[in-house]
Amino acid sequence: MTGTTDIESVETFRARSKAWIEANLPLLSEPWVETRELQRLLFDNGYAGISYPKEYGGAGLTIEHQKAFYDIVAEQDRQVPSELMVSIGIIGPTILDNGSQELKQRFLPPLLRGDEVWMQLLSEPRGGSDMAGTTCRLKRDGDTYFLNGSKMWSSGAYHADYGLCLCRSDWDAPKHRGLSTIAVPLQGNPPGLTIERTRAVSGEAGHFCEEFFDDMPLPADNLIGEENAGWSVAQSLLFHERNAVGGIGMGYLGGWRRGGGAGAFTGIDVGPLREAAERRGVGGAVGTMIADAVISSVVDPLTSDRITLGLQLGTHKGHRGSLSKLQSSLSLHGVARAALAIEGAAALVWDGDDVQLDNAGTSWLAARGSTIAGGTSEMQRNTISERLLGLPREPAFDRDIPFNEVLRNLGKF
Amino acid sequence: MRLDLTEDQEFFRATTRKFLESEVPLATVRSLYDTVDGFDRTWWQQAAELGWTSLFVPESLGGGSLSGAPATDAVIVAEEMGRLVSPGPFLAVNVVAAALAWFGSDAQQAQVLAGVLSGESIATWAFAELDGRWDAASVVTTAGLDGDSVVLDGVKAYVEAAGVADWFLVTARTGEGLTQVLVPADAPGVTVTRGRSIDMTRRFGKVALSQVRLPASAIVGKAGTAGPAVERQLHLALALQSAEMVGVAERTLEFTLEYGRERFAFGRPIVSYQALKHRIADMAVTIEGSKAVTDALATAIDTDDPKVALLASVAKAYVGEHCLDIVDDCVQITGGIGVTWEHDVHLYNRRAAVDRAMYGSPEEHKALLATNTEGAA
């Protein structure tokens, strides 16, 4: 990661982290500690943003140190503020890559302290994959920008403090050259903002939100990167998102490294599948499904580890994160399908008049979330084939012409 | 093949690739198809000089690994061999060399390893039998103990390089347990039936053992206790085979992409269509996963990791399945010419199909994984 020799060795870091984790972090079996409080505990002890520079509140160490820390967290079954994955694993690194000195000093320390929680404002009701096709409108008037339009599929906007919003600032420029990114405050009912929670497929109040902007005023200082340079900021964000979701990012927070040491950890728990198969006596018929789940639980983490190592050694280029993202989301969907099949009728029907959600049937309804959220599998396949393998791009009808014209052309299809 | 190779390992990889490209290019592989043995023994001795047979041989006998991690070194060669569907009994010879180094007596090592090391003699493992299964329960060949002798009876099948082997490491049964015996090919009662396979150069054969009587000193380890040794040998065989399949899959995808970039349909290269690009992206995922699990298996063998059996079965189930599927889909992408003798893709399809079946199919390893968290053997 870094050629400097004056940073603490991973081994010493591991030893002191282990002692600290054992003494301070609550066990998973203990009462749940509030996210921001837990993050504050990490921050106050120098374990927030392990691979972030010190000047912005990080520990100034490397991804290897971070991995060591979360391996111990996983081995010891400790709580960490996993809900801050977007803030710390995706938005923070994007601000680090693109923000001015002032912006980084303004936003990163509170982000790492857990005082300000961030989320992404990218997808829109009109679609999510064609992110550069955003139709949210950003217009400048003196020191103030005004935002109009709506965003959707934003995770946890109702309790977040800031959203990083991709919007269109120049409608006469070609699609990718008229975009900007700006920090949008979400708390305290700011004027011009309405947030609604999208009801999840389970029927619960959703984790996802839809935001409506009606001439929402934003200080010009909130702009991240230059005006109309929003696409390069978005590219950097997508890169960090892929890595974070694939378990190889700057800020991953432990969910991925459950279950212990190298080669043993997994995001998939095969135990319940085996138990259900035994309980119902259907072992033979569903053996292949169980075996496939075992294979995913072993191969997926090994793959993401190999990619992490390759990125550190420089033998792998950035887009390799898409391999992990595609692999793990297909596996998660596969395991949900296997659970539905193996548990059979009992996963779908229960006694009593209450709605129950903790069953393989309800999980199945949301199983496609893994292959859609964070970039659909189809978009990952485009990235892998075009960016990683260098295969020719799809022809597009919206390149190099003013975006206004693209919109007019839509009527021709 | 690990990403963090040492300088020595990187040099070994480069010389191995150069040697294979210059000495056994695909044109040579094609001409070896018409030969009985499928490889040239003088060439094998050259390969031995490069260190292919020394990795598991103790240093006291002139061998030695590059890095102290012989399985990790060996998968480097296996992967390169896969890339060029190379000839030569690399897997068979190294599994026997490793078995003797791990479990053999000093006398057995002295007797066999010098010739194996120089490439002058060929040793191979006779494990499977007529039912084509690589598990202890399927071994019915017997190793009876009679005073100072051991007597072998039975038929071993799917024995790689059986027709040219000088030594067979025979896995047999003594009561409930397994016994491994080092059998000279010219021992009285040994009858070798040569055979061919769909692979261009890889030959297999049957070894019939009829009242083969040898001194008890031919037993490797202790009679009736070879179960763990057989498992360890199987894990190594699966690591080498997985690495070879990684090379097969990766090289097949490379030349298929070269072809697909130059092949135009409806005014575009055929690999510009998402119908192909998305399948190719899936192949890239499984190749990366195959490399990751193969490396982990090799490391687990070198470090005696208790997870080695699980990794061995996962590797075979995953790599074995995806390697053949990748080659198969590359045939489809190549189109009609891919189903001719002229195009090279069938060379890879042949190797992928043979590797898929030998040492247990993905289906057999999945059956183990389904019922048993421990995995292979």
Side-chain angles (χ1 to χ4, degrees):
Chain A
M1 233 5 248
T2 163
T4 53
T5 49
D6 54 347
I7 65 166
E8 183 178 6
S9 79
V10 175
E11 287 320 307
T12 354
F13 175 78
R14 195 192 309 274
R16 82 170 156 96
S17 299
K18 188 157 188 271
W20 185 83
I21 288 167
E22 282 170 356
N24 294 283
L25 284 183
L27 286 161
L28 288 174
S29 55
E30 290 177 310
W32 207 244
V33 177
E34 199 268 323
T35 295
R36 292 175 197 238
E37 197 184 312
L38 201 51
Q39 182 65 22
R40 182 61 188 257
L41 179 68
L42 291 173
F43 183 86
D44 288 343
N45 289 277
Y47 295 109
I50 291 166
S51 56
Y52 278 62
K54 279 186 179 162
E55 55 182 316
Y56 306 121
L61 297 169
T62 70
I63 299 260
E64 274 305 301
H65 294 83
Q66 175 183 295
K67 190 172 150 207
F69 186 87
Y70 286 102
D71 276 343
I72 301 164
V73 166
E75 277 162 26
Q76 308 267 335
D77 291 327
R78 302 288 161 156
Q79 294 182 31
V80 281
S82 303
E83 285 168 40
L84 296 179
M85 196 265 266
V86 171
S87 283
I88 293 171
I90 303 177
I91 309 271
T94 305
I95 294 176
L96 261 179
D97 287 352
N98 299 282
S100 64
Q101 189 74 8
E102 295 74 30
L103 200 84
K104 288 191 259 193
Q105 258 145 10
R106 155 72 186 85
F107 284 124
L108 292 178
L111 179 152
L112 289 178
R113 232 176 3 246
D115 289 348
E116 291 180 356
V117 175
W118 284 69
M119 38 77 62
Q120 316 177 54
L121 296 170
L122 301 175
S123 295
E124 299 183 357
R126 61 159 191 97
S129 290
D130 183 11
M131 209 171 81
T134 176
T135 54
C136 267
R137 185 181 292 267
L138 190 70
K139 204 167 175 204
R140 184 164 186 156
D141 184 3
D143 284 343
T144 305
Y145 280 103
F146 290 91
L147 182 61
N148 279 285
S150 63
K151 291 283 177 184
M152 202 173 174
W153 310 121
S154 31
S155 319
Y158 54 92
H159 64 55
D161 299 283
Y162 277 93
L164 186 150
C165 182
L166 181 71
C167 37
R168 187 164 304 282
S169 40
D170 184 350
W171 293 69
D172 296 319
K175 181 178 175 182
H176 297 85
R177 279 177 255 156
L179 303 173
S180 296
T181 43
I182 193 161
V184 178
L186 300 168
Q187 290 303 312
N189 295 315
L193 174 69
T194 309
I195 301 177
E196 284 177 8
R197 290 173 75 162
T198 304
R199 194 171 181 187
V201 70
S202 64
E204 291 170 294
H207 180 54
F208 290 118
C209 296
E210 184 169 2
E211 301 78 23
F212 302 91
F213 311 109
D214 182 12
D215 264 335
M216 182 180 188
L218 298 165
D221 288 345
N222 280 19
L223 203 66
I224 297 165
E226 301 290 312
E227 187 173 300
N228 296 329
W231 186 239
S232 66
V233 180
Q235 295 281 83
S236 141
L237 180 139
L238 287 181
F239 170 76
H240 293 299
E241 177 176 57
R242 270 195 299 273
N243 290 347
V245 174
I248 60 174
M250 265 187 90
Y252 61 69
L253 290 163
W256 257 85
R257 308 193 75 78
R258 234 172 294 147
F265 38 79
T266 164
I268 292 168
D269 187 1
V270 186
L273 299 183
R274 284 194 200 282
E275 283 157 28
E278 266 173 44
R279 194 170 61 238
R280 302 194 53 234
V282 294
V286 300
T288 307
M289 290 182 188
I290 293 175
D292 285 339
V294 173
I295 291 166
S296 297
S297 74
V298 172
V299 175
D300 294 8
L302 289 172
T303 308
S304 70
D305 272 6
R306 186 172 200 277
I307 293 171
T308 309
L309 178 65
L311 291 172
Q312 285 163 22
L313 294 172
T315 54
H316 281 176
K317 299 289 171 261
H319 297 293
R320 257 205 219 208
S322 283
L323 295 172
S324 257
K325 157 71 171 116
L326 177 57
Q327 182 188 52
S328 59
S329 43
L330 293 172
S331 296
L332 289 171
H333 173 261
V335 170
R337 194 177 187 289
L340 184 76
I342 294 168
E343 299 198 16
L348 309 165
V349 175
W350 54 88
D351 290 340
D353 296 324
D354 293 336
V355 170
Q356 289 187 18
L357 302 177
D358 184 17
N359 49 57
T362 306
S363 300
W364 165 248
L365 298 175
R368 274 291 163 192
S370 73
T371 58
I372 295 170
T376 63
S377 292
E378 287 68 25
M379 294 304 290
Q380 304 307 325
R381 290 185 176 107
N382 283 350
T383 301
I384 292 165
S385 55
E386 295 177 356
R387 306 283 182 84
L388 195 62
L389 301 174
L391 299 180
R393 290 184 67 102
E394 287 301 299
F397 303 110
D398 59 359
R399 299 184 85 79
D400 304 321
I401 55 169
F403 193 72
N404 274 326
E405 211 172 300
V406 174
L407 294 182
R408 281 195 295 276
N409 287 343
L410 293 180
K412 296 176 188 165
F413 284 88
Chain B
M1 188 173 70
R2 293 185 62 88
L3 292 169
D4 49 354
L5 295 184
T6 64
E7 257 178 58
D8 283 351
Q9 287 173 322
E10 184 52 49
F11 181 75
F12 185 51
R13 189 198 64 75
T15 50
T16 296
R17 180 174 291 192
K18 215 166 126 190
F19 173 71
L20 291 171
E21 283 173 350
S22 70
E23 299 304 314
V24 280
L26 294 184
T28 306
V29 169
R30 283 173 177 271
S31 67
L32 288 168
Y33 179 77
D34 296 322
T35 67
V36 173
D37 293 342
F39 74 103
D40 180 277
R41 291 192 68 154
T42 318
W43 168 80
W44 180 249
Q45 288 179 32
Q46 288 176 265
E49 279 169 28
L50 291 182
W52 287 19
T53 53
S54 78
L55 300 169
F56 292 92
V57 175
E59 282 183 17
S60 57
L61 295 171
S65 74
L66 300 168
S67 61
T72 305
D73 295 339
V75 295
I76 295 172
V77 178
E79 186 176 325
E80 293 298 328
M81 291 181 72
R83 291 181 59 86
L84 279 177
V85 287
S86 304
F90 177 77
L91 183 153
V93 164
N94 276 291
V95 168
V96 176
L100 293 180
W102 290 333
F103 314 111
S105 66
D106 289 350
Q108 288 165 341
Q109 293 179 3
Q111 192 178 18
V112 176
L113 291 181
V116 162
L117 191 64
S118 68
E120 277 165 49
S121 54
I122 304 286
T124 187
W125 186 18
F127 180 16
E129 304 194 355
L130 296 173
D131 63 359
R133 290 182 63 96
W134 279 261
D135 55 40
S138 302
V139 173
V140 294
T141 293
T142 54
L145 303 176
D146 182 14
D148 282 344
S149 300
V150 57
V151 182
L152 292 162
D153 265 300
V155 179
K156 306 305 285 186
Y158 308 103
V159 179
E160 186 178 342
V164 294
D166 305 287
W167 296 96
F168 297 106
L169 177 62
V170 174
T171 303
R173 174 164 301 285
T174 305
E176 292 297 298
L178 295 181
T179 301
Q180 298 205 99
V181 184
L182 195 54
V183 179
D186 58 2
V190 174
T191 311
V192 175
T193 307
R194 308 179 66 109
R196 289 189 60 126
S197 72
I198 68 162
D199 189 77
M200 299 295 280
T201 63
R202 198 158 281 171
R203 307 286 186 260
F204 297 85
K206 285 197 187 76
V207 180
L209 303 152
S210 174
Q211 286 286 303
V212 175
R213 179 175 290 269
L214 294 165
S217 60
I219 296 171
V220 178
K222 249 182 87 189
T225 64
V230 169
E231 283 182 29
R232 190 138 190 234
Q233 290 160 219
L234 183 59
H235 300 154
L236 176 60
L238 290 169
L240 298 178
Q241 187 188 56
S242 291
E244 175 167 273
M245 290 189 288
V246 164
V248 165
E250 187 162 55
R251 180 68 196 126
T252 305
L253 179 57
E254 282 171 16
F255 65 67
T256 303
L257 292 186
E258 285 165 29
Y259 177 83
R261 284 174 200 277
E262 287 166 14
R263 187 95 184 157
F264 282 71
F266 307 101
R268 291 163 60 177
I270 59 170
V271 290
S272 73
Y273 289 97
Q274 280 183 333
L276 300 194
K277 280 196 292 195
H278 283 192
R279 277 148 59 190
I280 290 162
D282 288 340
M283 295 182 204
V285 170
T286 50
I287 289 173
E288 193 76 28
S290 296
K291 289 178 177 177
V293 70
T294 303
D295 288 349
L297 172 57
T299 302
I301 293 168
D302 285 329
T303 58
D304 275 327
D305 189 320
K307 288 203 158 28
V308 65
L310 170 67
L311 285 166
S313 277
V314 168
K316 182 57 194 271
Y318 185 85
V319 186
E321 178 161 283
H322 290 299
C323 172
L324 187 72
D325 288 352
I326 286 169
V327 174
D328 176 50
D329 209 15
C330 285
V331 174
Q332 175 69 18
I333 291 170
T334 305
I337 194 72
V339 203
T340 65
W341 184 260
E342 176 192 339
H343 196 281
D344 289 331
V345 71
H346 73 91
L347 276 56
Y348 291 81
N349 208 354
R350 289 164 184 273
R351 179 65 56 90
V354 169
D355 277 346
R356 191 184 195 284
M358 299 296 162
Y359 301 103
S361 66
E363 291 72 20
E364 287 159 324
H365 284 277
K366 280 190 187 186
L368 291 172
L369 293 170
T371 52
N372 169 353
T373 42
E374 297 302 317

